Amino acid sequence: MALIVQKFGGTSVGTTERIRNVARRVARWKAMGHDVVVVPSAMSGETNRLLGLAREVQSVPSPRELDVIASTGEQVTIALLAMAIQAEGLKSRSYTGAQVRVLTDSAFTKARILHIDEERLRRDLAQGIVPVVAGFQGIDESGNITTLGRGGSDTSAVALAAALKADECQIYTDVDGVYTTDPRIVPEARRLKTITFEEMLEMASLGSKVLQIRSVEFAGKYKVRLRVLSSFEDEGEGTLITFEEDEKMEQAVISGIAFSRDEAKVTVTGVPDRPGIAYAILGPVADANIDVDMIIQNAGTDQLTDFSFTVHRNEHAKAMEILQKVKTHIGARDIVGDNRICKVSMVGVGMRSHVGIASQMFRTLSEEGINIQMISTSEIKISVVIDEKYLELAVRVLHKAFGLEQA
Ligand code: ADP
Ligand code: ASP
Ligand code: MG
């Protein structure tokens, strides 16, 4: 007998019929003798709808109030799911984050889980009750409702699995596992039987939304056995996130391609090439709490340099505004923005022992006439910034060039 945490994403609980399907799946696991804790997201589209209502009323809504409204989506699905599980003849009870006490910090709309009181859930499990816990939400020290950032139900599930020392955390979604790239962009993409934790962390942080990055961080920290599966199929192993590289069955150099459209670039042109200039440019950006991703500085011959960096597209306008203000102070010629860029990244632990991956990537892109604007590398990934109009083409040709469709 095992203890399993099962998380169901928005599409998986998108209608009452699908909620009944989820309940049937839970009943099957119970019938096999397992203990199950269920974590649903809101019905698909619901969180967007709620946030849209907020923006109709206030152009920049208060983050505290946004969390109060956004968290209601999950309150609907926990109740419906508990009812559906009861209708299967089982005992079930729904809980909001506050009722369990999923304690978070007070960073509204992107709160971090600090602690979970798992006592109540354990008592339920001991009595054969299936607890249904709202994903995405928690409560801070002062009793304010918080949410964990978009896609945060994954993190709720993994954190609950860690707190309960569950045998496995299963993430049920609308694809049957983690693929070599988003199967919506490349239909030939192949499901991976396993992916290492490190690779999954890179894929998630570089834009693959199949798992929220914090859920992968949690799984790594607490060694939670994590699996991604389809909620629309009864059979299937999905994808297991492994901790040991030798557990990885496929020995490909590249495991996957991730991409992100949420990118924007700022270029500061004609600044004096002297010590302290990077700090003068990025200091005010950091002070405004804006995360900078890639950075490029070109030393010119005339003692002047161009300095470019990328930020999340949502923060582009703010970053541009900050630099316009310090333009004269730093002695820049101009501040130029571009929010039509994207980032494409290749990820694989096999890169550690293989050279030439970067050059093969650059050649493949050049053969399609795709200009690379920025490059960044680490031991297990290579990222390039390109014009967003080439995103799908780039992902498709790289997927083919690296033979990712083959097992
Ligand atoms: P849920 O609502 O279940 O949390 P998400 O939409 O958050 O589902 O995540 C599942 C989606 O992630 C898939 O429909 C797919 O389009 C996308 N995705 C992006 N990259 C990948 C990948 N490498 N493998 C599988 N799915 C991916
Ligand atoms: N419902 C939340 C969202 O749409 C959380 C989640 O789906 O994981 O972001
Ligand atoms: Mg998700």
Side-chain angles (χ1 to χ4, degrees), residues 305-364:
T305 181
D306 287 351
F307 191 99
S308 296
F309 60 92
T310 62
V311 294
H312 193 282
R313 211 175 270 191
N314 288 343
E315 302 193 303
H316 190 227
K318 200 161 136 201
M320 290 290 291
E321 196 184 305
I322 289 167
L323 284 164
Q324 286 296 351
K325 281 195 199 133
V326 295
K327 180 177 152 187
T328 329
H329 169 69
I330 56 182
R333 190 184 311 128
D334 206 359
I335 315 289
V336 189
D338 184 356
N339 61 7
R340 291 169 180 268
I341 57 162
C342 66
K343 181 167 70 177
V344 177
S345 310
M346 298 207 311
V347 174
V349 288
M351 271 189 223
R352 282 200 184 109
S353 48
H354 279 74
V355 289
I357 303 297
S359 68
Q360 192 183 344
M361 179 185 196
F362 303 156
R363 189 180 68 225
T364 305

Side-chain angles (χ1 to χ4, degrees), residues 87 130 178 193 228 242 247 272 306 309 326 373 375 392 400:
V130 178
V178 178
K193 291 193 182 73
V228 178
T242 61
E247 273 183 61
D306 287 351
F309 60 92
V326 295
Q373 304 180 20
I375 300 167
E392 299 190 1
K400 193 156 200 312

Side-chain angles (χ1 to χ4, degrees), residues 207-324:
S208 295
K209 291 187 175 129
V210 60
L211 285 177
Q212 197 204 33
I213 179 157
R214 284 194 189 160
S215 71
V216 189
E217 286 169 357
F218 245 100
K221 190 162 169 196
Y222 297 99
K223 293 279 179 289
V224 176
R225 191 177 163 88
L226 182 59
R227 195 187 286 278
V228 178
L229 298 141
S230 165
S231 64
F232 301 119
E233 287 169 16
D234 290 341
E235 306 281 315
E237 302 268 282
T239 301
L240 181 68
I241 322 297
T242 61
F243 290 97
E244 300 302 328
E245 270 171 43
D246 4 324
E247 273 183 61
K248 206 172 104 129
M249 295 169 211
E250 291 127 309
Q251 289 303 326
V253 180
I254 304 296
S255 289
I257 302 176
F259 53 83
S260 158
R261 299 177 204 268
D262 304 329
E263 310 285 322
K265 187 166 74 169
V266 178
T267 303
V268 186
T269 64
V271 281
D273 190 12
R274 60 167 164 77
I277 199 67
Y279 177 62
I281 294 171
L282 296 179
V285 177
D287 291 345
N289 241 334
I290 299 176
D291 274 336
V292 169
D293 181 15
M294 290 197 204
I295 303 170
I296 279 193
Q297 181 179 347
N298 296 316
T301 46
D302 50 359
Q303 310 295 308
L304 292 180
T305 181
D306 287 351
F307 191 99
S308 296
F309 60 92
T310 62
V311 294
H312 193 282
R313 211 175 270 191
N314 288 343
E315 302 193 303
H316 190 227
K318 200 161 136 201
M320 290 290 291
E321 196 184 305
I322 289 167
L323 284 164
Q324 286 296 351

Side-chain angles (χ1 to χ4, degrees), residues 7 9-10 173-175 177-179 181-184 203 208-210:
K7 179 257 172 178
T173 184
D174 55 4
V175 281
V178 178
Y179 276 66
T181 193
D182 190 340
R184 288 181 209 282
M203 291 283 279
S208 295
K209 291 187 175 129
V210 60

